[in-house]
Amino acid sequence: MKAVYLQNPGDIKIAEIEKPQRGKDQILIAVRSAGICGSDIGAYRGTNPLVSYPRIIGHEIAGEIIEIPEDETNFTVGDRVILEPYVYCGTCYPCSIGHTNCCENLTVLGVHIDGGMAQYFSHPRHLVHKAPDSIPWSILPMAEPLVISMHAVTQPKTQAGEHVVITGCGPIGLLAAQYALTLGAIPVVVDPVDERLALARQLGITHTVNPVTSDAVAEIRAITNDRMAEVVIEASGDARAIRSAIDYVSYAGRISFVGWPKNEIPLPTALFTKKELTIVGSRNSVAMFPESLRLIAEKKVDVAALVTQTVPLEDIPPTVQDISEHPERYLKVIGLF
């Protein structure tokens, strides 16, 4: 079969490899679509320290079931499914308390172990989710970044009526803003790229702030009637945005960090105490795929608006190269197999 093969950083190609055999308690799928994520670009660039090489990339994977275990009762051959790519051990402390998303021994498709940008893929059946027929292959992989965003919004216990500042208008930030709307919260997106702020407004986000061309703190203060935001979700990983989150949040507010910074960042921890902040990390997600699929199927969240283009399997390597060199041209690219 064909697979997107990353031999080393900067060396990506379509390779012919052996078709996988279905493992014990696994489901074999014919892959129909796969999203290209920022972590795939990091793997290509060699800047993601968690990636080992060589590696088949891809963790946003949707497909059609072609083989199931004999005792399987929840799935049938021909079902349309999406894969949950976070393979947890089930025995460590986080797993024992239900936090499988931050398993101490977590392996993520396309990062620690081979991913699903291939014509066929075998995956543990407890990490497979049946997808509604109404969701096209061209957007079905978007359920995975949506669950990342949903977890980032729920980690700080976002409530209806609260102002939620979201720093970063990439896919995660824009999806988080839309999900906040479904909860009845009031998102405020902050990003230095006007085109992305314009897209946010098209998606129904009333409040947008460019921190380069305006005083973001003053604007947020005005929007929140001098309170500042009860919740801040940092979705960019940018050092300046991470520092600014502390200025954007209200006293007794909550901050959720979902963006991955490239380096360690010094922060004024005295302000954590002065404001009595609650600060949470947000990694992956837990038990959110069914709700993610429902929101997409019912068009409560517009994921299609974030898809810049679709490409065939053979065009994924040059597309990864182009995204790496010109990230400003893209939000999300979906490969169709």
mmCIF file with all atom_site columns, all heavy atoms in Angstrom, residues 196-208:
data_model
loop_
_atom_site.group_PDB
_atom_site.id
_atom_site.type_symbol
_atom_site.label_atom_id
_atom_site.label_alt_id
_atom_site.label_comp_id
_atom_site.label_asym_id
_atom_site.label_entity_id
_atom_site.label_seq_id
_atom_site.pdbx_PDB_ins_code
_atom_site.Cartn_x
_atom_site.Cartn_y
_atom_site.Cartn_z
_atom_site.occupancy
_atom_site.B_iso_or_equiv
_atom_site.pdbx_formal_charge
_atom_site.auth_seq_id
_atom_site.auth_comp_id
_atom_site.auth_asym_id
_atom_site.auth_atom_id
_atom_site.pdbx_PDB_model_num
ATOM 1   N N   . ARG A 1 196 ? -7.539  36.443 9.445  1.00 0.00 ? 196 ARG A N   1
ATOM 2   C CA  . ARG A 1 196 ? -8.090  35.416 10.335 1.00 0.00 ? 196 ARG A CA  1
ATOM 3   C C   . ARG A 1 196 ? -9.147  35.998 11.263 1.00 0.00 ? 196 ARG A C   1
ATOM 4   O O   . ARG A 1 196 ? -10.121 35.327 11.597 1.00 0.00 ? 196 ARG A O   1
ATOM 5   C CB  . ARG A 1 196 ? -6.962  34.745 11.115 1.00 0.00 ? 196 ARG A CB  1
ATOM 6   C CG  . ARG A 1 196 ? -6.046  33.947 10.189 1.00 0.00 ? 196 ARG A CG  1
ATOM 7   C CD  . ARG A 1 196 ? -5.210  32.935 10.910 1.00 0.00 ? 196 ARG A CD  1
ATOM 8   N NE  . ARG A 1 196 ? -4.481  32.095 9.965  1.00 0.00 ? 196 ARG A NE  1
ATOM 9   C CZ  . ARG A 1 196 ? -3.746  31.051 10.299 1.00 0.00 ? 196 ARG A CZ  1
ATOM 10  N NH1 . ARG A 1 196 ? -3.648  30.700 11.571 1.00 0.00 ? 196 ARG A NH1 1
ATOM 11  N NH2 . ARG A 1 196 ? -3.121  30.338 9.383  1.00 0.00 ? 196 ARG A NH2 1
ATOM 12  N N   . LEU A 1 197 ? -8.966  37.241 11.656 1.00 0.00 ? 197 LEU A N   1
ATOM 13  C CA  . LEU A 1 197 ? -10.003 37.901 12.452 1.00 0.00 ? 197 LEU A CA  1
ATOM 14  C C   . LEU A 1 197 ? -11.274 38.080 11.625 1.00 0.00 ? 197 LEU A C   1
ATOM 15  O O   . LEU A 1 197 ? -12.391 37.925 12.141 1.00 0.00 ? 197 LEU A O   1
ATOM 16  C CB  . LEU A 1 197 ? -9.508  39.256 12.949 1.00 0.00 ? 197 LEU A CB  1
ATOM 17  C CG  . LEU A 1 197 ? -8.317  39.220 13.918 1.00 0.00 ? 197 LEU A CG  1
ATOM 18  C CD1 . LEU A 1 197 ? -7.885  40.638 14.269 1.00 0.00 ? 197 LEU A CD1 1
ATOM 19  C CD2 . LEU A 1 197 ? -8.662  38.441 15.180 1.00 0.00 ? 197 LEU A CD2 1
ATOM 20  N N   . ALA A 1 198 ? -11.111 38.367 10.342 1.00 0.00 ? 198 ALA A N   1
ATOM 21  C CA  . ALA A 1 198 ? -12.270 38.492 9.454  1.00 0.00 ? 198 ALA A CA  1
ATOM 22  C C   . ALA A 1 198 ? -13.002 37.161 9.340  1.00 0.00 ? 198 ALA A C   1
ATOM 23  O O   . ALA A 1 198 ? -14.247 37.117 9.346  1.00 0.00 ? 198 ALA A O   1
ATOM 24  C CB  . ALA A 1 198 ? -11.833 38.981 8.077  1.00 0.00 ? 198 ALA A CB  1
ATOM 25  N N   . LEU A 1 199 ? -12.268 36.062 9.241  1.00 0.00 ? 199 LEU A N   1
ATOM 26  C CA  . LEU A 1 199 ? -12.901 34.750 9.192  1.00 0.00 ? 199 LEU A CA  1
ATOM 27  C C   . LEU A 1 199 ? -13.649 34.470 10.485 1.00 0.00 ? 199 LEU A C   1
ATOM 28  O O   . LEU A 1 199 ? -14.764 33.927 10.465 1.00 0.00 ? 199 LEU A O   1
ATOM 29  C CB  . LEU A 1 199 ? -11.842 33.664 8.950  1.00 0.00 ? 199 LEU A CB  1
ATOM 30  C CG  . LEU A 1 199 ? -12.351 32.220 8.980  1.00 0.00 ? 199 LEU A CG  1
ATOM 31  C CD1 . LEU A 1 199 ? -13.468 32.000 7.962  1.00 0.00 ? 199 LEU A CD1 1
ATOM 32  C CD2 . LEU A 1 199 ? -11.205 31.240 8.745  1.00 0.00 ? 199 LEU A CD2 1
ATOM 33  N N   . ALA A 1 200 ? -13.061 34.862 11.609 1.00 0.00 ? 200 ALA A N   1
ATOM 34  C CA  . ALA A 1 200 ? -13.744 34.672 12.892 1.00 0.00 ? 200 ALA A CA  1
ATOM 35  C C   . ALA A 1 200 ? -15.093 35.394 12.898 1.00 0.00 ? 200 ALA A C   1
ATOM 36  O O   . ALA A 1 200 ? -16.102 34.843 13.354 1.00 0.00 ? 200 ALA A O   1
ATOM 37  C CB  . ALA A 1 200 ? -12.863 35.175 14.034 1.00 0.00 ? 200 ALA A CB  1
ATOM 38  N N   . ARG A 1 201 ? -15.116 36.608 12.367 1.00 0.00 ? 201 ARG A N   1
ATOM 39  C CA  . ARG A 1 201 ? -16.382 37.350 12.324 1.00 0.00 ? 201 ARG A CA  1
ATOM 40  C C   . ARG A 1 201 ? -17.395 36.658 11.416 1.00 0.00 ? 201 ARG A C   1
ATOM 41  O O   . ARG A 1 201 ? -18.594 36.621 11.712 1.00 0.00 ? 201 ARG A O   1
ATOM 42  C CB  . ARG A 1 201 ? -16.121 38.789 11.881 1.00 0.00 ? 201 ARG A CB  1
ATOM 43  C CG  . ARG A 1 201 ? -15.367 39.618 12.927 1.00 0.00 ? 201 ARG A CG  1
ATOM 44  C CD  . ARG A 1 201 ? -15.326 41.095 12.583 1.00 0.00 ? 201 ARG A CD  1
ATOM 45  N NE  . ARG A 1 201 ? -14.494 41.371 11.414 1.00 0.00 ? 201 ARG A NE  1
ATOM 46  C CZ  . ARG A 1 201 ? -13.180 41.612 11.467 1.00 0.00 ? 201 ARG A CZ  1
ATOM 47  N NH1 . ARG A 1 201 ? -12.548 41.582 12.636 1.00 0.00 ? 201 ARG A NH1 1
ATOM 48  N NH2 . ARG A 1 201 ? -12.499 41.871 10.374 1.00 0.00 ? 201 ARG A NH2 1
ATOM 49  N N   . GLN A 1 202 ? -16.914 36.081 10.307 1.00 0.00 ? 202 GLN A N   1
ATOM 50  C CA  . GLN A 1 202 ? -17.809 35.331 9.419  1.00 0.00 ? 202 GLN A CA  1
ATOM 51  C C   . GLN A 1 202 ? -18.406 34.119 10.133 1.00 0.00 ? 202 GLN A C   1
ATOM 52  O O   . GLN A 1 202 ? -19.510 33.681 9.805  1.00 0.00 ? 202 GLN A O   1
ATOM 53  C CB  . GLN A 1 202 ? -17.051 34.874 8.180  1.00 0.00 ? 202 GLN A CB  1
ATOM 54  C CG  . GLN A 1 202 ? -16.624 35.986 7.242  1.00 0.00 ? 202 GLN A CG  1
ATOM 55  C CD  . GLN A 1 202 ? -15.741 35.477 6.117  1.00 0.00 ? 202 GLN A CD  1
ATOM 56  O OE1 . GLN A 1 202 ? -15.795 34.305 5.741  1.00 0.00 ? 202 GLN A OE1 1
ATOM 57  N NE2 . GLN A 1 202 ? -14.908 36.352 5.564  1.00 0.00 ? 202 GLN A NE2 1
ATOM 58  N N   . LEU A 1 203 ? -17.683 33.584 11.104 1.00 0.00 ? 203 LEU A N   1
ATOM 59  C CA  . LEU A 1 203 ? -18.141 32.419 11.850 1.00 0.00 ? 203 LEU A CA  1
ATOM 60  C C   . LEU A 1 203 ? -19.029 32.800 13.034 1.00 0.00 ? 203 LEU A C   1
ATOM 61  O O   . LEU A 1 203 ? -19.402 31.935 13.832 1.00 0.00 ? 203 LEU A O   1
ATOM 62  C CB  . LEU A 1 203 ? -16.930 31.612 12.344 1.00 0.00 ? 203 LEU A CB  1
ATOM 63  C CG  . LEU A 1 203 ? -16.101 30.949 11.237 1.00 0.00 ? 203 LEU A CG  1
ATOM 64  C CD1 . LEU A 1 203 ? -14.795 30.403 11.796 1.00 0.00 ? 203 LEU A CD1 1
ATOM 65  C CD2 . LEU A 1 203 ? -16.908 29.852 10.559 1.00 0.00 ? 203 LEU A CD2 1
ATOM 66  N N   . GLY A 1 204 ? -19.338 34.082 13.159 1.00 0.00 ? 204 GLY A N   1
ATOM 67  C CA  . GLY A 1 204 ? -20.255 34.516 14.207 1.00 0.00 ? 204 GLY A CA  1
ATOM 68  C C   . GLY A 1 204 ? -19.599 35.034 15.466 1.00 0.00 ? 204 GLY A C   1
ATOM 69  O O   . GLY A 1 204 ? -20.277 35.260 16.471 1.00 0.00 ? 204 GLY A O   1
ATOM 70  N N   . ILE A 1 205 ? -18.270 35.252 15.419 1.00 0.00 ? 205 ILE A N   1
ATOM 71  C CA  . ILE A 1 205 ? -17.559 35.778 16.589 1.00 0.00 ? 205 ILE A CA  1
ATOM 72  C C   . ILE A 1 205 ? -17.601 37.302 16.520 1.00 0.00 ? 205 ILE A C   1
ATOM 73  O O   . ILE A 1 205 ? -16.942 37.919 15.674 1.00 0.00 ? 205 ILE A O   1
ATOM 74  C CB  . ILE A 1 205 ? -16.094 35.294 16.615 1.00 0.00 ? 205 ILE A CB  1
ATOM 75  C CG1 . ILE A 1 205 ? -16.002 33.794 16.334 1.00 0.00 ? 205 ILE A CG1 1
ATOM 76  C CG2 . ILE A 1 205 ? -15.446 35.665 17.931 1.00 0.00 ? 205 ILE A CG2 1
ATOM 77  C CD1 . ILE A 1 205 ? -16.785 32.909 17.264 1.00 0.00 ? 205 ILE A CD1 1
ATOM 78  N N   . THR A 1 206 ? -18.352 37.907 17.381 1.00 0.00 ? 206 THR A N   1
ATOM 79  C CA  . THR A 1 206 ? -18.581 39.355 17.319 1.00 0.00 ? 206 THR A CA  1
ATOM 80  C C   . THR A 1 206 ? -17.332 40.144 17.684 1.00 0.00 ? 206 THR A C   1
ATOM 81  O O   . THR A 1 206 ? -17.024 41.173 17.056 1.00 0.00 ? 206 THR A O   1
ATOM 82  C CB  . THR A 1 206 ? -19.723 39.754 18.272 1.00 0.00 ? 206 THR A CB  1
ATOM 83  O OG1 . THR A 1 206 ? -20.904 39.030 17.911 1.00 0.00 ? 206 THR A OG1 1
ATOM 84  C CG2 . THR A 1 206 ? -19.998 41.246 18.197 1.00 0.00 ? 206 THR A CG2 1
ATOM 85  N N   . HIS A 1 207 ? -16.597 39.687 18.687 1.00 0.00 ? 207 HIS A N   1
ATOM 86  C CA  . HIS A 1 207 ? -15.486 40.470 19.233 1.00 0.00 ? 207 HIS A CA  1
ATOM 87  C C   . HIS A 1 207 ? -14.147 39.929 18.737 1.00 0.00 ? 207 HIS A C   1
ATOM 88  O O   . HIS A 1 207 ? -13.787 38.778 19.022 1.00 0.00 ? 207 HIS A O   1
ATOM 89  C CB  . HIS A 1 207 ? -15.515 40.432 20.763 1.00 0.00 ? 207 HIS A CB  1
ATOM 90  C CG  . HIS A 1 207 ? -16.797 40.935 21.351 1.00 0.00 ? 207 HIS A CG  1
ATOM 91  N ND1 . HIS A 1 207 ? -17.186 42.250 21.253 1.00 0.00 ? 207 HIS A ND1 1
ATOM 92  C CD2 . HIS A 1 207 ? -17.785 40.284 22.030 1.00 0.00 ? 207 HIS A CD2 1
ATOM 93  C CE1 . HIS A 1 207 ? -18.361 42.404 21.859 1.00 0.00 ? 207 HIS A CE1 1
ATOM 94  N NE2 . HIS A 1 207 ? -18.738 41.230 22.332 1.00 0.00 ? 207 HIS A NE2 1
ATOM 95  N N   . THR A 1 208 ? -13.415 40.750 17.988 1.00 0.00 ? 208 THR A N   1
ATOM 96  C CA  . THR A 1 208 ? -12.095 40.381 17.487 1.00 0.00 ? 208 THR A CA  1
ATOM 97  C C   . THR A 1 208 ? -11.116 41.500 17.793 1.00 0.00 ? 208 THR A C   1
ATOM 98  O O   . THR A 1 208 ? -11.459 42.682 17.687 1.00 0.00 ? 208 THR A O   1
ATOM 99  C CB  . THR A 1 208 ? -12.120 40.106 15.976 1.00 0.00 ? 208 THR A CB  1
ATOM 100 O OG1 . THR A 1 208 ? -12.502 41.305 15.288 1.00 0.00 ? 208 THR A OG1 1
ATOM 101 C CG2 . THR A 1 208 ? -13.108 38.994 15.626 1.00 0.00 ? 208 THR A CG2 1
#
